[in-house]
Amino acid sequence: MFLEQPFKQEIIDDLPDETTLSIYRHGEFTDLCQGPHVGRTGEIAAVKLLHTAGAYWRGDENRPMLQRIYGTAFESQEELDAHLERLAEAERRDHRTLGRQLNLFTVHEEIGPGLIVWHPKGGVMRSIIEDYWRDIHYRKGYSIVYSPHIGRARLWQTSGHLDFYRESMYAPMEIDDQEYFLKPMNCPFHIQIYRSALRSYRELPMRIAELGTVYRYERSGVLHGLMRVRGFTQDDAHIFCLPDQVANEVGDVLDLTFEIMAAFGFDEYDIMLSTRPDKYVGDPDIWEHATESLREALVSRGLDYDIDDGGGAFYGPKIDIKITDALGRAWQCTTVQFDFNLPDRFDLTFQDDQGNRSRPYMVHRAILGSLERFFGVLVEHYAGAFPLWLAPVQAVVIPIADRHVEYAQQVAAQLQDAGFRADVDDRSERMNLKIRQAQLQKTPYMLVVGDREAEAGAAAVRTRDDGDLGALPMDEVVERLVGELDGTPVASRRRRR
């Protein structure tokens, strides 16, 4: 049927032998379709062609360029109109556009696709996120570590990455007649920390965490802003524990996840528990114990979840958590993953209470996932209008005329002394233009100062969300900002300072 269509032939050839092909016809037009299908075209009431774009075959820049046509269909015009409104809002929130507009990050061909350059404002926000992440992890009993960006080939051979993950790793570099690879994951380094001493059951659980930058090859055709990159930082952690500690440790990870996500404004989740696949490593009884520990942690917290039967990795069951953003879109961030493979490969042991050598349980977990991807989700969730604690510039002071610049600098200094990020717009431009620029930058507070404000030690306050608040004494301005930060992740840090 498709002998003259090489692309469809390639798809068919790549399918497992037992796969049933799904084909549909419409008049003289016949094509493959994975389905599901509508029973009749009369069920479709509204159709819209959206746009066209060039796309390399299967995302490979070395393959032919095809023309892709995007369209959508609904059972009613009302549903289509609502969908188009959501698409327009998603475009308005696109993190790539806002990243340039707000001067947060860029990608440069001279550096390479999929490699992110963080600008000063983006760097400030990333530092805030990382500082909060470190603070809460220290409080939860994690040890934060740092590991190299490269490792010898034999490390990746032992871990199995060279056998099973080679296509996603960069080419080796030769140093002193030894091959080294950029790390695609942090796990082997954390395992080496565990193996650096003989461990006793009294030392467990051991929680090792790192904001570790990894490098994975992605085809150019699938790269997408911050969401799909080649170099990114994971909020990675590995927990080594006893079998009877597993449920509590997983439960603590869930609690930590929800606390962190709530701090960033996310409180809706989809949770999936993935169980043992047909091909797996490890003892079935251990798999059952681990899966039950995951289930127990979910049930004990009254969490709704779905089962992905057989959807676990070959090396262990897992929990995946997707957060829901302001547009109702789900984003995969948190993973809690058992691993029965690496402890065997690296021969991890501890001395139990009987003096015998036993194998620890090992749990991988990431909460934010990739910092780059999570940052992109944050940009789109807030449409760039970040809450005060996250905003790279929290207040901009706008002098009405050049003679007011000195007082504007005093106002900014007062805010800075109180711990706020404040700038002065001292350009020789009209006041309204400066206010407009601050609004485009989505700055939370704009403080306009002139003769009257300078005499009274005050500022005319405008906010991004509430508009003109009138003139307020500077002490009240500071008090208002401090009150707005109360209850946010930076509140405790401010109190310590």
Side-chain angles (χ1 to χ4, degrees):
M1 186 177 294
F2 300 112
L3 284 178
E4 305 301 321
Q5 300 185 48
F7 297 125
K8 293 188 176 67
Q9 279 293 313
E10 184 176 333
I11 291 173
I12 294 170
D13 290 342
D14 288 346
L15 293 173
D17 292 340
E18 65 274 12
T19 302
T20 300
L21 289 179
S22 177
I23 297 171
Y24 73 97
R25 289 188 176 91
H26 184 69
E28 297 181 359
F29 186 75
T30 303
D31 205 353
L32 294 172
C33 184
Q34 189 173 4
H37 307 268
V38 295
R40 55 191 179 84
T41 55
E43 296 177 37
I44 301 173
V47 177
K48 176 73 173 180
L49 294 182
L50 300 174
H51 61 277
T52 63
Y56 290 111
W57 174 238
R58 294 193 158 181
D60 186 347
E61 61 270 23
N62 297 314
R63 307 293 297 278
M65 171 73 79
L66 306 182
Q67 189 73 9
R68 180 176 287 168
I69 301 172
Y70 294 83
T72 189
F74 286 88
E75 295 179 344
S76 70
Q77 186 64 43
E78 291 76 14
E79 289 177 294
L80 175 60
D81 290 342
H83 177 69
L84 295 178
E85 287 180 14
R86 287 193 297 270
L87 291 180
E89 180 63 17
E91 185 175 356
R92 185 179 74 84
R93 292 169 178 259
D94 191 315
H95 74 280
R96 295 168 297 177
T97 301
L98 289 172
R100 290 189 300 271
Q101 177 184 323
L102 302 179
N103 198 20
L104 301 174
F105 69 92
T106 49
V107 180
H108 300 268
E109 281 299 320
E110 295 85 349
I111 295 173
L115 301 173
I116 306 302
V117 177
W118 294 78
H119 289 211
K121 288 183 177 179
V124 166
M125 292 187 64
R126 175 165 172 163
S127 294
I128 295 166
I129 294 169
E130 291 184 353
D131 287 345
Y132 167 58
W133 184 92
R134 290 188 186 93
D135 282 352
I136 197 168
H137 276 75
Y138 279 131
R139 286 193 281 113
K140 300 297 183 179
Y142 285 81
S143 297
I144 296 178
V145 302
Y146 298 86
S147 62
H149 289 239
I150 62 173
R152 278 182 171 176
R154 69 186 185 193
L155 177 73
W156 307 110
Q157 191 69 57
T158 302
S159 69
H161 286 92
L162 288 184
D163 293 328
F164 303 109
Y165 206 73
R166 183 68 176 264
E167 70 279 0
S168 296
M169 297 174 66
Y170 283 95
M173 60 191 85
E174 190 168 300
I175 304 173
D176 296 334
D177 297 325
Q178 295 280 332
E179 283 190 338
Y180 286 74
F181 287 84
L182 283 168
K183 65 175 178 179
M185 297 182 185
N186 300 301
C187 332
F189 298 95
H190 295 184
I191 287 173
Q192 295 303 322
I193 293 173
Y194 180 90
R195 295 181 69 211
S196 64
L198 175 63
R199 303 297 177 184
S200 163
Y201 72 97
R202 298 180 186 276
E203 298 177 70
L204 303 182
M206 178 181 289
R207 309 179 191 97
I208 298 174
E210 178 179 11
L211 292 170
T213 300
V214 298
Y215 303 88
R216 300 178 187 174
Y217 173 69
E218 298 278 5
R219 291 176 176 174
S220 296
V222 301
L223 297 175
H224 180 76
L226 293 170
M227 305 304 194
R228 197 76 176 264
V229 295
R230 288 176 171 169
F232 58 94
T233 300
Q234 286 184 306
D235 68 322
D236 222 354
H238 295 90
I239 301 170
F240 304 91
C241 60
L242 306 176
D244 61 1
Q245 295 172 332
V246 169
N248 283 338
E249 289 301 311
V250 172
D252 288 346
V253 170
L254 295 176
D255 294 340
L256 179 58
T257 297
F258 300 137
E259 182 175 352
I260 289 176
M261 291 304 181
F264 289 105
F266 300 104
D267 55 12
E268 294 184 28
Y269 312 97
D270 291 321
I271 303 174
M272 183 72 69
L273 172 59
S274 300
T275 62
R276 189 179 72 204
D278 292 335
K279 296 181 179 180
Y280 63 92
V281 298
D283 186 300
D285 290 338
I286 297 178
W287 268 83
E288 184 60 32
H289 178 262
T291 304
E292 188 55 37
S293 296
L294 294 177
R295 194 191 323 270
E296 180 184 333
L298 293 168
V299 171
S300 66
R301 282 152 181 80
L303 298 171
D304 294 328
Y305 64 94
D306 293 318
I307 296 287
D308 182 8
D309 194 21
F314 75 93
Y315 50 83
K318 63 176 179 173
I319 293 173
D320 289 317
I321 300 177
K322 294 181 179 180
I323 58 175
T324 302
D325 71 6
L327 295 184
R329 300 173 299 183
W331 298 95
Q332 172 65 51
C333 290
T334 302
T335 297
V336 186
Q337 171 78 64
F338 272 94
D339 193 330
F340 305 128
N341 181 46
L342 290 182
D344 283 340
R345 282 181 168 271
F346 285 95
D347 192 26
L348 301 187
T349 63
F350 68 92
Q351 192 172 52
D352 63 24
D353 57 359
Q354 303 298 316
N356 301 317
R357 294 290 182 89
S358 298
R359 188 81 74 208
Y361 275 32
M362 179 179 176
V363 179
H364 304 257
R365 57 112 282 209
I367 292 177
L368 303 180
S370 153
L371 282 190
E372 283 75 7
R373 187 167 180 267
F374 184 74
F375 189 81
V377 173
L378 274 179
V379 171
E380 297 196 359
H381 180 63
Y382 287 108
F386 304 108
L388 184 65
W389 74 276
L390 269 177
V393 177
Q394 295 170 315
V396 61
V397 186
I398 300 173
I400 294 175
D402 288 346
R403 67 179 182 275
H404 305 125
V405 169
E406 183 178 352
Y407 177 65
Q409 291 171 341
Q410 294 173 14
V411 168
Q414 185 174 347
L415 292 172
Q416 291 162 0
D417 289 344
F420 293 99
R421 298 180 291 279
D423 289 343
V424 175
D425 188 346
D426 56 2
R427 296 174 300 158
S428 297
E429 302 283 359
R430 292 182 296 108
M431 178 190 68
N432 288 340
L433 183 63
K434 295 178 183 180
I435 292 174
R436 174 63 176 160
Q437 179 63 23
Q439 290 172 332
L440 289 175
Q441 288 296 300
K442 304 182 186 292
T443 308
Y445 281 85
M446 291 147 274
L447 309 182
V448 180
V449 296
D451 290 333
R452 285 181 296 181
E453 289 77 19
E455 292 174 4
V461 180
R462 299 177 62 91
T463 74
R464 180 184 62 204
D465 302 321
D466 299 327
D468 190 357
L469 302 182
L472 297 174
M474 279 306 301
D475 288 345
E476 288 188 24
V477 174
V478 172
E479 184 179 345
R480 179 185 176 91
L481 269 65
V482 170
E484 191 169 333
L485 288 182
D486 190 37
T488 67
V490 297
S492 60
R493 178 175 285 269
R494 285 175 53 82
R495 284 194 292 270
R496 288 199 300 274
R497 182 170 57 240

